[in-house]
Amino acid sequence: MTGTDRPWLDPALGTEERVEALLAVMTLEEKVGQTHQVANITPDDEDAIRSGAVSSSLYASGATAGNERDEGMLVANIDAAQRLAVEESRLGIPLLFGRDVIHGHRTVFPIPLGMAAAFDEELAEECARVAAAEATLEGVAWTFAPMMDVSEEPRWGRVAESLGEQPVLAGRLAAGMVRGFQGEDLTDRRRLASCAKHYVGYGLSTGGRDYNTVSVGENTLRNLHLRPFRDAVRAGVTTVMAAFNDVDGTPMHAHRRLLREVLKDEWGFDGVVVADWGGVGQLVRQGVAGDLRDAARLAIEAGVDLDMCSDAYTAHLADLVHSGEVEESLLDEAVRRVLRLKVRLGLFEHPYAGDLEGSPAPTDATRALARRAAQAAHVLVKNDGVLPLDPSGEGRVLLSGGFVDEGDALLGTWVLDGRGEEVVSPADALRARFGEASGTPFGERLDVLDGRFPDQVLELARRATTAVLLLGEHRGRSGEDRCVTDIGLPPGQLDVLRHVVALGTPVVAVVYTGRPLDLTEVLDLAAAVVVVWHPGVEAGSALADVLVGDVEPHGRLPMTFPLSVGHLPTSTHQRPTGRPIPVERDRFEGRYVDALTHSRLPFGYGLSYTTVEYGEPTVEPATTPVDGGRATVRVTVSNTGSRPCRELVQVYAHDPVADVTRPEVELVAWRSVELAPGESREVEVEVSAVDFAYTGRDLTERVDSGEIVLLTGPDSATLRRTTLTLA
Ligand code: NOJ
């Protein structure tokens, strides 16, 4: 074909026109090709690419096997594969290269749960923008992020990838990430298509076991689990990934109601629904399809547009259309969505990445951002006054534990391109800090010993004034398929803590983790506890910044920390029962006969190095229209201590009389304020009537007139009430 025969290559035409022009000339086989995604492209795929039988690759590793760690290799391979598609296939449709760029590309940011602790959508947006700018240099055009599964289940390893348990927080952060990845204009060559995943209910995997079944009604889905997805769709996310789980017996890859009717028809999502890895083929094992052919039929009917790695569409769709079992219009719709994405990304104009200039390696600027993000992820949950440390003061400090010299272990769960050797380790950062203070290279007051020899640790701890113990999980213990039954510290760590404390040495426990842990004994024993998740490439620097008080700790817990694994699920999703447990009587009358029911650390909790007091909140106006009304919550917040702080003022809501049971507290808004020592400020937080919308029994969204209880305070368990009337 010549140039004029190919109107889809004309950027002056509109997207839909280009897509339709292409669709009109495609053979059935070429259409099926656009629904087929492979993992890696290998030399064996060359003919398939030439014939138009491959649409996309998920690991973006290119046409020749190569060592991806060599600079430039990734992009060279990708461009080589792309050349086959663009220059040697009949229609020249470019390949779409995806990759899991989840919490950074080369500059690795904190895990998403750590990012959520910052409660900062602009920060999330900025980190996503940097990740996109780095990944596109290597030929990547699409990332499978953000994940926004709402979960109250710390045993489930994938909470590390989540944006916290509260739907408004997860939705706002997800929307920020979508903006950061995609930008205003997706043809910007330094932006990526993004993917809202995993649609939907995956965070409810029974027993916290990955890939497990989910039993939940549509009302709870809509009021909780679907909300962040709707926020991402409103923010313009271009792809959505189906989840591995079933929902009440229907696997998501066959869930016509939720994929086609809710996501596509009701919400108007016009992007690509991509399967999760092998998800179409798994319909056979899930027991709703007899074979792969049947699975392909169910998935295309349900609305899965792109088959990730199960080969079901490429093997069977053409035949299913020939035999009349699948309408060709269903296939056309899937192809249209994939082509629309390729046009939107500008791939027809700029299929290659090799001409982009720059290196994806961390720079001073991206490191500064990663450091700011890691600082914001630090959540101080206890402090007897031992923190901040003073590197120029008296006494000796011991730094020990399993992560002292670590790089790779602190990067976090989803790292394909980050490099352990690029991480600033805790030892390096603290040595530098103590060295600077004492004028010697390693500091005279800091002992550093990794945790391998507990006897030696105890010896040094005996003479230390403070011991900083780096505890918690290696990054490999959380994430996909990393579920646990015991959410305590890994074996041996508590023993060391107990022994050091028994010596009388105050301990600062630094906890690396991808999930809420049972920290009950750590909180009882240690003088100070900081939860730092897996902080990424600037792990050590951010830790040093916070421990010595160059930065005031300001992160807040984005998930509830339970009293024990037996208390799960414990979370802010609790709806009222007919027999509520009055807080003051919990001790005597809880729902367990062997334990209290409250959490160990509530959602939203986090301290600073000063003390903060809240006054009585007010709301104005006290009555606002149910339709479009707004109001301002005001509360006076005072820094009553001697250090500055960044306080996160949180506003929760409870709807006391509704069509369905509504959560006892649900985060609706928050505001971060800086307060100097002794400063008092009246903080204003805006709320809107639409913030109190919910889905009623008839599955439609509503905002009721009547009272809304607004609860304001420093965390979800320390709240003062005021009432807003919607009229
Ligand atoms: C499976 C995971 O569930 C998903 O989150 C990821 O994006 C894909 N694999 C691709 O690696």
Side-chain angles (χ1 to χ4, degrees), residues 58-59 100 144 158 197-198 241 244 276-277 308 414 480:
L58 122 90
Y59 280 137
D100 287 284
F144 306 111
R158 300 203 80 167
K197 73 185 189 186
H198 307 84
M241 187 184 289
F244 283 130
D276 201 346
W277 182 292
M308 181 188 280
W414 251 125
E480 185 176 346

Side-chain angles (χ1 to χ4, degrees), residues 341-378:
L341 177 61
K342 291 183 176 184
V343 172
R344 280 180 176 163
L345 276 163
L347 288 179
F348 287 88
E349 286 68 61
H350 294 289
Y352 306 114
D355 60 329
L356 289 171
E357 301 221 337
S359 154
T363 64
D364 288 350
T366 65
R367 279 189 176 279
L369 178 65
R371 186 164 176 169
R372 187 151 67 82
Q375 291 162 351
H378 283 56

Side-chain angles (χ1 to χ4, degrees), residues 75-96:
V75 68
N77 292 344
I78 282 178
D79 279 357
Q82 188 69 294
R83 198 154 284 120
L84 299 175
V86 171
E87 290 168 30
E88 298 184 33
S89 76
R90 188 177 78 93
L91 300 171
I93 303 172
L95 296 169
L96 172 58

Side-chain angles (χ1 to χ4, degrees), residues 632-651:
T632 306
V633 179
R634 290 195 177 81
V635 63
T636 299
V637 184
S638 310
N639 179 346
T640 52
S642 55
R643 293 183 63 99
C645 68
R646 202 188 296 177
E647 180 65 14
L648 189 81
V649 178
Q650 302 165 35
V651 179

Side-chain angles (χ1 to χ4, degrees), residues 35-36 153 169 210 260 295 310 323 346 350 415 463 524 529 542 546-547 559 595 597-598 643 646 650 665 710 714:
T35 66
H36 178 49
E153 180 49 92
L169 177 65
D210 210 359
R260 195 174 284 287
S310 71
S323 68
H350 294 289
V415 175
R463 61 172 190 159
D524 289 346
V529 182
V546 171
L547 291 186
M559 275 187 83
T597 53
H598 60 77
R643 293 183 63 99
R646 202 188 296 177
Q650 302 165 35
V665 293
L710 293 173

Side-chain angles (χ1 to χ4, degrees), residues 587-643:
R587 209 165 290 272
F588 314 104
E589 220 181 84
R591 285 293 172 261
Y592 297 117
V593 292
D594 62 344
L596 306 179
T597 53
H598 60 77
S599 66
R600 184 60 186 84
L601 296 169
F603 175 92
Y605 187 73
L607 303 169
S608 51
Y609 291 146
T610 188
T611 44
V612 177
E613 279 173 23
Y614 281 66
E616 283 300 328
T618 60
V619 62
E620 206 186 17
T623 301
T624 194
V626 66
D627 187 9
R630 304 178 68 83
T632 306
V633 179
R634 290 195 177 81
V635 63
T636 299
V637 184
S638 310
N639 179 346
T640 52
S642 55
R643 293 183 63 99

